Amino acid sequence: MGVFVRRDNINLITNHRRSMGQRQAKQHMQAGVKLYHQRHYAQAINKWRQSLNRLNNAEDRFITLGYLAQALCDQGEYEGMLSYALSQMQLATDQNDSAMKCEAFLNLAKAYERLADFTKALQYGKASLEHPSMDPRTPGYAHLTIALAHLGMSQFQQCLESFESAMNVANETSDRLLELQICVGLGSLFTLLRDITKALIFLRNALAIVQSVTVDDVHAKYRCLILYHLSVALRMKGSLVDAKEACDEASQLAVEMGNRAIHARCMCSLADIYRELGESEAKETITKSWARYEDAYRVMRGANDKMGEVLVLSSMAKSASESRSHYTGQCECQAIQLNKKCIEIANQIGCKHVVLKCHLRLAELYSQLNDDDSEEMARRAASRLTQEMQLFCNFCGQRYGLKDESLQALRCSHIFHEKCLHTYLLQRTDQNCPKCRCRAVLSDNISIRSSIASTADVQSPSTSFAPPGGVATPLVSVAAELGDITPQATLTRRPPQQDKILRGAEKDIDRVDRSLARLKSQTTANSCAAVPVPSPEVPSTTTSGASEPIASTSSAAPILSNQTNHKPPPPPRKPCCSQAALPPSSIVALPPAMPLAEDGPLVITHTPTVTDV
């Protein structure tokens, strides 16, 4: 009898110790969250790892794995993020829990999107949508990840469709942080398509939203991201001083947060800005700007950030192409090799838009070398990529994305010149999309019309109605009430800051309104109207090298003409050296691990189930 009593006592003590261990593990997990928001990120990660080794409850382990995945994502450790996402997937499979699978698939999609494995990102993002979720916002983040994967692969039509679906979820759930990330994605999209006015409208809309967020780590994380994209758009617009200010602030925030990926992108953007400012105005030599490119490339290689590598190599190739006299002593060899290296990596990840730009630069370089065969191959490759990405307007037959011009999309996500499309819609009664023959209805959920970005829209955040092509969600002003951003995040109102970048939005909006007013007055006399059923033709090249405008109803694009070169090339000359391999110091050196400050801000998700992108 005494033996059984002692055994019962031992079992009670063992169970008590186990329960005490579980409580302590949960306390470690909660302490990690608190430390994370206090910007003690290394300590927070250690707390989560300790609790993960002791937790037995499947749900608690799943949440902790999500914390760790998001923390490593914010640090730029994408392979580590993938490892924890795979652990989440294994746990969800063992539990046979559909809601867990939905979240695990989403984290896998996000990890592969950051690693530039866009095919897998699309697969896992769609798999997340196929499983039920306990959080209604999760499908919105899945659509957002799918949109970013399509953007990385230069599939702009599918990208717009996914952004539209994500915006629908943001509208239904009043998730302002999701809307913010959609605006950043759309700003990046229209920056690639060279509609800089719309890109700035979206990015400043995102900046207005983030101004209202007073959770410091969340505010810093998104402000850093937005300012980087703003610096790129402002540089392409020609506002180099404003671009430098935005890039400097983004770089400083990235260093404080320990975000290596954004910091390296800021170094590359700053080098681009200094390159365009020139040595006299930038007060920086070309050699120093080139060193920025090399440092950024080393960071990207160390983080296995393939998309970052492509961005830096593309900027290096452009810089070498424009400054051959400084880098290679009047020789095109290094510029050609950099473009070829960029094409190689971009083809690996499927980034067609970067490949297109490299082929256009190669065609110009080969033209200056009188290498007719290589020039013809480069131009044919550029023409093929233009057709695949459908970067042309079916009404005028001209390619877009070469210069800053206003674009417009229909609900089917096909994109045209805004002026050509509006003329077509005003003159036609049977209004169908010339590419897919669907009903020509302007997109009513994502703002891709300059006309909707009026001062009234910005000043009236409670407006729920938007004209065709406008933003259905209200714009968030600095004084807007943000209690419905998320039920698990505490956000308060932030006093308005007289941000120089935000103040520039009013000037852009007024300029857009004036241009649209002139457009309406000239519509009836406009000769750029689309024909009802145009036939696909290849533009004939005249003796002067100009292309005749065409209108096409198919997906075949006009062949690129020689007018893609905006600057007259220098006199033809032969290379002064053979195309030898690049020096190891330029692009092939593997970087040492970048030290991370323990107090650099890394933003943990504000909910255990849905993490920020």
Side-chain angles (χ1 to χ4, degrees):
M1 186 67 180
V3 175
F4 291 109
V5 172
R6 284 194 298 270
R7 288 181 179 175
D8 291 340
N9 291 336
I10 292 174
N11 292 335
L12 288 174
I13 293 172
T14 303
N15 293 333
H16 178 70
R17 288 178 178 175
R18 287 177 180 173
S19 61
M20 285 291 294
Q22 292 302 297
R23 284 197 296 268
Q24 290 178 359
K26 287 186 179 181
Q27 290 174 0
H28 278 297
M29 182 180 69
Q30 296 168 359
V33 176
K34 187 177 297 185
L35 288 169
Y36 203 85
H37 287 294
Q38 293 173 354
R39 300 193 177 189
H40 301 298
Y41 303 106
Q43 299 177 28
I45 292 175
N46 288 334
K47 288 285 186 182
W48 288 327
R49 285 173 174 166
Q50 292 174 11
S51 63
L52 186 63
N53 294 329
R54 301 171 63 181
L55 285 171
N56 293 329
N57 183 272
E59 183 177 352
D60 292 337
R61 289 179 57 83
F62 189 86
I63 292 172
T64 306
L65 288 168
Y67 284 148
L68 288 167
Q70 184 61 45
L72 294 181
C73 177
D74 293 336
Q75 284 188 326
E77 299 288 344
Y78 302 134
E79 292 181 340
M81 176 192 181
L82 176 61
S83 175
Y84 285 114
L86 289 170
S87 298
Q88 272 192 318
M89 189 71 251
Q90 183 63 46
L91 182 59
T93 303
D94 294 340
Q95 297 294 317
N96 195 21
D97 190 314
S98 296
M100 284 186 177
K101 288 181 180 179
C102 178
E103 296 293 337
F105 278 128
L106 174 58
N107 279 333
L108 282 172
K110 290 164 59 178
Y112 280 117
E113 188 272 324
R114 296 302 176 94
L115 289 169
D117 194 339
F118 300 122
T119 302
K120 289 185 179 179
L122 292 174
Q123 293 174 352
Y124 287 118
K126 294 175 182 178
S128 177
L129 293 173
E130 294 173 356
H131 289 77
S133 171
M134 296 180 63
D135 194 322
R137 298 172 297 164
T138 302
Y141 288 92
H143 285 298
L144 175 63
T145 305
I146 292 172
L148 295 175
H150 282 305
L151 181 61
M153 298 177 72
S154 305
Q155 298 172 347
F156 302 123
Q157 179 185 349
Q158 296 92 324
C159 175
L160 272 177
E161 292 174 355
S162 297
F163 276 133
E164 177 99 11
S165 301
M167 186 66 82
N168 286 331
V169 178
N171 294 338
E172 295 169 359
T173 60
S174 299
D175 190 343
R176 296 293 180 267
L177 291 181
L178 176 57
E179 181 185 356
L180 180 153
Q181 294 170 75
I182 296 170
C183 288
V184 174
L186 287 168
S188 178
L189 168 64
F190 283 104
T191 300
L192 286 178
L193 296 178
R194 298 299 292 269
D195 189 347
I196 307 301
T197 300
K198 287 186 180 63
L200 289 174
I201 289 172
F202 280 117
L203 292 173
R204 282 164 174 156
N205 184 22
L207 195 61
I209 297 174
V210 81
Q211 287 294 95
S212 303
V213 179
T214 56
V215 178
D216 289 339
D217 48 357
V218 178
H219 176 87
K221 171 184 177 179
Y222 288 113
R223 183 173 178 83
C224 174
L225 178 65
I226 296 167
L227 288 176
Y228 160 69
H229 286 287
L230 264 177
S231 71
V232 176
L234 288 170
R235 175 184 61 80
M236 296 177 69
K237 184 183 178 183
S239 304
L240 299 180
V241 176
D242 292 339
K244 181 180 179 300
E245 291 180 2
C247 192
D248 285 338
E249 183 179 351
S251 180
Q252 181 180 355
L253 288 171
V255 171
E256 294 174 359
M257 294 166 53
N259 191 324
R260 298 187 299 171
I262 297 297
H263 178 59
R265 283 167 169 78
C266 288
M267 285 194 292
C268 179
S269 178
L270 198 59
D272 290 338
I273 294 168
Y274 282 143
R275 182 192 71 221
E276 296 190 14
L277 279 172
E279 289 189 1
S280 58
E281 188 173 352
K283 298 181 180 180
E284 177 174 296
T285 62
I286 297 179
T287 303
K288 187 174 180 179
S289 296
W290 189 259
R292 294 181 189 271
Y293 289 132
E294 293 178 336
D295 292 341
Y297 187 81
R298 291 189 185 99
V299 174
M300 297 301 186
R301 287 202 56 157
N304 196 22
D305 188 345
K306 292 294 183 183
M307 194 67 212
E309 291 183 44
V310 167
L311 293 177
V312 177
L313 277 176
S314 180
S315 293
M316 293 173 75
K318 183 177 181 180
S319 181
S321 300
E322 294 177 353
S323 308
R324 296 182 298 277
S325 60
H326 176 83
Y327 295 123
T328 55
Q330 299 291 334
C331 177
E332 287 82 358
C333 300
Q334 185 177 11
I336 290 175
Q337 291 179 47
L338 283 168
N339 279 288
K340 288 184 175 180
K341 181 66 176 178
C342 186
I343 289 175
E344 177 186 348
I345 301 179
N347 277 327
Q348 291 176 4
I349 65 176
C351 188
K352 296 180 180 179
H353 191 266
V354 172
V355 176
L356 170 63
K357 292 193 296 184
C358 289
H359 279 302
L360 291 175
R361 285 194 293 265
L362 284 174
E364 181 181 356
L365 292 169
Y366 288 133
S367 175
Q368 296 168 18
L369 293 172
N370 284 334
D371 190 344
D372 296 336
D373 293 339
S374 298
E375 178 188 358
E376 180 66 18
M377 290 178 61
R379 294 199 182 278
R380 286 181 179 274
S383 178
R384 174 180 54 80
L385 289 167
T386 301
Q387 296 180 34
E388 292 178 2
M389 292 184 286
Q390 301 185 27
L391 295 177
F392 59 94
C393 177
N394 284 70
F395 300 111
C396 65
Q398 298 301 310
R399 200 203 128 177
Y400 52 76
L402 293 175
K403 59 182 180 179
D404 188 3
E405 51 190 350
S406 184
L407 304 175
Q408 175 67 58
L410 297 176
R411 189 173 293 177
C412 59
S413 299
H414 287 120
I415 305 173
F416 309 93
H417 287 127
E418 187 174 35
K419 183 177 180 180
C420 298
L421 180 59
H422 285 190
T423 303
Y424 171 74
L425 295 178
L426 288 175
Q427 293 185 353
R428 296 288 299 172
T429 55
D430 53 338
Q431 299 173 347
N432 294 321
C433 173
K435 288 188 177 181
C436 64
R437 310 308 299 174
C438 294
R439 179 69 176 168
V441 180
L442 298 181
S443 178
D444 57 356
N445 197 31
I446 293 180
S447 172
I448 41 184
R449 289 181 60 191
S450 302
S451 58
I452 63 92
S454 62
T455 305
D457 290 329
V458 176
Q459 294 177 350
S460 303
S462 61
T463 304
S464 59
F465 171 76
V471 177
T473 55
L475 300 180
V476 180
S477 67
V478 182
E481 192 70 41
L482 288 181
D484 60 341
I485 285 185
T486 169
Q488 294 172 323
T490 303
L491 305 178
T492 58
R493 288 178 291 181
R494 186 186 188 93
Q497 299 180 3
Q498 298 300 323
D499 196 314
K500 184 176 181 180
I501 299 175
L502 265 177
R503 291 199 302 270
E506 296 181 0
K507 297 181 181 179
D508 290 332
I509 292 169
D510 292 339
R511 182 166 57 256
V512 170
D513 291 338
R514 290 195 298 270
S515 65
L516 286 170
R518 290 195 300 269
L519 174 62
K520 292 181 180 179
S521 63
Q522 298 173 358
T523 299
T524 55
N526 190 355
S527 61
C528 188
V531 294
V533 185
S535 58
E537 298 178 1
V538 176
S540 60
T541 304
T542 62
T543 55
S544 61
S547 299
E548 297 293 336
I550 61 113
S552 173
T553 59
S554 67
S555 60
I559 298 177
L560 296 179
S561 66
N562 293 331
Q563 282 192 333
T564 54
N565 299 327
H566 300 290
K567 299 180 182 179
R573 48 189 168 81
K574 294 295 182 180
C576 59
C577 66
S578 60
Q579 294 187 14
L582 290 172
S585 61
S586 57
I587 63 171
V588 297
L590 282 172
M594 182 178 178
L596 295 176
E598 289 189 0
D599 56 348
L602 298 172
V603 181
I604 194 62
T605 174
H606 45 74
T607 167
T609 55
V610 178
T611 54
D612 298 325
V613 176

